[in-house]
Amino acid sequence: MNGPQSPSKGPDKFKSVFKISRRTFNYICSLVKEDMMAKSGSFTFSNGKPVSFEDQVAVALRRLSSGESLVIVGDLFGLHHSTVSQLTWRFVEAMEERGLHHLRWPSTEEEMMEIKSKFEKIQGLPNCCGVIDTTHVMMCLPSSDPASKVWLDHEKNHSMVLQAIVDAEMRFRDIVTGWPGKIDEWLVFQSSNFYELCDKGERLNGKNFMLPEGSEIREYIIGDVGYPLLPYLIIPYEGKELPELRAEFNKRHSATWLVAHRALARLKEMWKIIQGVMWRPDKHKLPRIILVCCLLHNIVIDLEDDVQDEMPLSHDHDSGYRQRVCGSVDIKGVHMRDKLSLYLSGKSPQ
């Protein structure tokens, strides 16, 4: 870095500024280099020195990870705020092109078997392929903005929804974003490509799990009561004073579901641009920024960057949002959940 701050001096400083290890940084640079270098236009620091390619990536990563304003990031590195904006956007576009293979649904049976086995190790749920949850990305919109009413949610914030399905290692496997925050979880889910594929039998259609008495458990994901109970989406039992069988199932379900809660908390904690309140964001660009933050989140996991072990897991990713209940129930989902809870009641508590 040729600006006032020189994070490339010493790994400790580097990690505190960018939240990732030098190795992960180098890998991200290798992903986006071709696309970013291909674009015309050179950038200079305020002292007249050119901004190298690595510096360009560093500026974009700082903007995404700190959530600081363009002006603050610019001052930190000795750059004009418009340069910070351009560099961030170049990086986002390049990551969209080159990083998408880090966020995908498992494509082989072996890969899915590994995910199922890791979920089963948490609390014994067999054949579970993922956990679904939703969070809100806040925006600051002036009331004079003609679109401001559209983005006003149930808690009187302007926000955009991010729905994610995660695996047992907190890796995002499927995301949906771009919808206004007032759209309920089940509607976001039902408008998703994932839902359509499940409905057509083209997703969650792998190997069944054989139960001792001869019946089978199909592939499924789990979610909270904001979602419908479906044959392939299992939610907890509702009500107080539940019979022991159901209470035990809910306990195991909840402990497994926490994986998604933690993943979204870590996403917002690590890529703070989507944790705070975005100042008048471009509604078309924001989903792309959210996607790139999800890609970066997965890259940190895929590269086994030890920075993830230093992140707190207690943060609530959606504080101030009350649980909304869907209440929709599919009879096949009821049978599936009952079969699961019966099977789990025969296993010793973990």
Side-chain angles (χ1 to χ4, degrees), residues 79-104:
L79 290 165
H80 192 271
H81 66 85
S82 64
T83 306
V84 176
S85 175
Q86 282 174 280
L87 291 176
T88 304
W89 194 243
R90 275 193 180 198
F91 174 76
V92 165
E93 288 178 325
M95 276 297 292
E96 282 181 307
E97 282 296 314
R98 302 293 169 184
L100 276 182
H101 58 284
H102 282 281
L103 201 165
R104 56 176 186 78

Side-chain angles (χ1 to χ4, degrees), residues 100-106 115 131-135 162-176 259-268 271 274 290-299 301-302:
L100 276 182
H101 58 284
H102 282 281
L103 201 165
R104 56 176 186 78
W105 193 250
I115 287 171
V131 186
I132 190 167
D133 196 10
T134 301
T135 196
L162 164 62
Q163 176 184 278
I165 300 173
V166 307
D167 68 20
E169 294 179 297
M170 298 201 267
R171 198 181 274 105
F172 296 116
R173 290 294 185 168
D174 185 280
I175 67 162
V176 176
V259 173
H261 188 80
R262 285 177 175 156
L264 288 169
R266 178 175 286 173
L267 173 77
K268 285 185 162 182
W271 306 102
I274 58 172
I290 294 169
L291 165 64
V292 167
C293 290
C294 291
L295 293 174
L296 291 166
H297 166 99
N298 281 6
I299 286 170
I301 296 170
D302 291 343

Side-chain angles (χ1 to χ4, degrees), residues 238-309:
E238 284 185 75
K240 294 186 170 72
E241 312 289 323
L242 288 170
E244 195 179 338
L245 199 75
R246 295 184 170 193
E248 175 62 27
F249 173 81
N250 278 7
K251 210 166 78 185
R252 291 175 186 265
H253 182 290
S254 169
T256 311
W257 175 81
L258 266 180
V259 173
H261 188 80
R262 285 177 175 156
L264 288 169
R266 178 175 286 173
L267 173 77
K268 285 185 162 182
E269 191 57 43
M270 196 150 174
W271 306 102
K272 285 201 164 73
I273 192 160
I274 58 172
Q275 188 198 73
V277 179
M278 300 274 289
W279 175 249
R280 299 174 79 160
D282 180 320
K283 321 306 177 303
H284 303 293
K285 284 185 175 180
L286 185 52
R288 298 168 70 181
I289 289 170
I290 294 169
L291 165 64
V292 167
C293 290
C294 291
L295 293 174
L296 291 166
H297 166 99
N298 281 6
I299 286 170
V300 166
I301 296 170
D302 291 343
L303 267 66
E304 298 176 350
D305 189 326
D306 60 5
V307 72
Q308 60 183 325
D309 303 326

Side-chain angles (χ1 to χ4, degrees), residues 198-262:
C198 289
D199 243 30
K200 285 198 237 161
E202 293 169 20
R203 176 108 346 138
L204 298 175
N205 59 350
K207 272 196 168 161
N208 288 356
F209 176 81
M210 299 297 296
L211 293 176
E213 88 285 3
S215 68
E216 299 175 55
I217 297 277
R218 60 163 295 165
E219 289 187 341
Y220 60 94
I221 59 173
I222 65 171
D224 62 21
V225 293
Y227 290 96
L229 175 62
L230 300 168
Y232 52 83
L233 203 179
I234 305 300
I235 64 171
Y237 289 101
E238 284 185 75
K240 294 186 170 72
E241 312 289 323
L242 288 170
E244 195 179 338
L245 199 75
R246 295 184 170 193
E248 175 62 27
F249 173 81
N250 278 7
K251 210 166 78 185
R252 291 175 186 265
H253 182 290
S254 169
T256 311
W257 175 81
L258 266 180
V259 173
H261 188 80
R262 285 177 175 156

Side-chain angles (χ1 to χ4, degrees), residues 178-198:
W179 290 94
K182 65 181 171 193
I183 309 285
D184 285 315
E185 287 174 314
W186 63 88
L187 291 173
V188 175
F189 179 64
Q190 284 171 350
S191 64
S192 70
N193 187 41
F194 188 90
Y195 173 82
E196 201 178 307
L197 289 171
C198 289

